[in-house]
């Protein structure tokens, strides 16, 4: 156990590669369907809207999955009052 690193606790690179493959495939699926399925005249705007919706959903879900840092919590409390975090 050199430098305090336990080799058994490390992430398997094959698992990381598989997770990346699935994430990129799932992320490409929505724009691909938005380009292939609609009629040619509407493809551009449907693709733009679907990508914007996917970005908004990704940002919202990542923001909800992590707790706010203490500075953000204190600044939100000072803006919205102490009742916001109850």
């Amino acid at each position: 156990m050199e430098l305090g690193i336990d080799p058994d606790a490390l992430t398997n690179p094959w698992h990381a590669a598989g997770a990346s493959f699935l994430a990129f495939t799932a992320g490409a699926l929505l724009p691909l369907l938005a380009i292939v399925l609609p009629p040619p005249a509407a493809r551009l705007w449907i693709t733009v809207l679907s990508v914007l919706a996917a970005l908004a959903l990704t940002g919202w879900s990542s923001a909800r999955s992590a707790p706010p840092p203490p500075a953000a919590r204190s600044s939100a409390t000072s803006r919205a009052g102490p009742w916001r975090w109850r």
Side-chain angles (χ1 to χ4, degrees):
M1 188 152 89
E2 187 176 338
L3 300 174
I5 299 173
D6 183 13
D8 295 329
L10 296 176
T11 304
N12 184 342
W14 288 105
H15 291 172
S20 293
F21 173 75
L22 291 175
F24 279 103
T25 302
L29 190 60
L30 183 64
L32 179 67
L33 292 176
I35 290 171
V36 172
L37 295 178
R43 284 183 184 161
L44 174 67
W45 294 111
I46 290 176
T47 303
V48 168
L49 292 175
S50 68
V51 169
L52 288 175
L55 287 172
L57 181 63
T58 303
W60 177 82
S61 64
S62 64
R64 298 299 295 169
S65 66
R73 182 173 291 200
S74 64
S75 66
T77 302
S78 65
R79 283 192 314 259
W83 58 87
R84 171 158 171 126
W85 295 102
R86 288 186 184 169

